[in-house]
Amino acid sequence: MAEKYSLQTSIHIDAPAKKIYDLMVDLDRFDEWNPFMTMDPTTTTKVTQSKPGPGSLYEYEGKRIGRGQQVVLSVERPSLIVSEMTFFGKKTNTAIIEFRIQQETSGTLVTWYMEGERGLGGKFMGVVLGFDKMMGKSFASGLASLKTLMESEKK
């Protein structure tokens, strides 16, 4: 029986929401802050997009992280990017990813959110192997890279 899961990580970035959104929605720039690229140096990627936004496709494959894809489903400029992630393997799994970008009085709060369902194997990975904690750390690492990138571009 499948169970629902969700996890999220946030960071404050000293840059305008519009500028952050413009970088995040452009999948050609994803690898500039993608935390999973550093986990597996064998990873190759391919981006297919006529313009950033709905329909844009990011595909990846690596010996350690496996094979998958991200498709942008919808956007609300400059506050939300919704994508579907597909993880290919013995069993294909999907998850919804949201990048929530909230302008604040000083800077912008960016949240990386993921939700999906997982079966017994996924429950085992989540609880025993600490998958949720590992993903949270990866999200935090990616957002920290995004923060560094955005704040250095500002200068």
Side-chain angles (χ1 to χ4, degrees), residues 9-13 15-26 33 74-82 98-104 107-113 143 146 150:
T9 303
S10 299
I11 196 166
H12 183 269
I13 300 176
K18 181 190 175 309
K19 187 173 180 180
I20 295 168
Y21 170 90
D22 287 345
L23 183 139
M24 293 182 81
V25 76
D26 185 354
W33 58 277
S74 64
V75 297
E76 292 175 25
R77 190 171 197 256
S79 60
L80 181 65
I81 302 163
V82 180
E98 293 182 3
F99 294 111
R100 301 169 179 168
I101 305 160
Q102 180 181 350
Q103 185 70 55
E104 297 183 326
T108 303
L109 180 68
V110 178
T111 300
W112 189 338
Y113 173 84
L143 291 176
L146 178 66
M150 294 307 305

Side-chain angles (χ1 to χ4, degrees), residues 47-68:
V47 174
T48 306
Q49 66 182 2
S50 57
K51 66 177 186 168
S56 295
L57 173 66
Y58 177 90
E59 299 172 281
Y60 67 88
E61 185 167 3
K63 288 180 182 171
R64 182 168 179 222
I65 64 171
R67 185 171 70 92

Side-chain angles (χ1 to χ4, degrees), residues 90-129:
K90 291 178 184 173
K91 185 173 182 182
T92 298
N93 291 301
T94 61
I96 297 297
I97 302 289
E98 293 182 3
F99 294 111
R100 301 169 179 168
I101 305 160
Q102 180 181 350
Q103 185 70 55
E104 297 183 326
T105 305
S106 173
T108 303
L109 180 68
V110 178
T111 300
W112 189 338
Y113 173 84
M114 180 169 82
E115 71 176 28
E117 291 186 354
R118 57 181 162 212
L120 188 57
K123 288 180 194 178
F124 176 79
M125 285 180 57
V127 176
V128 177
L129 300 179

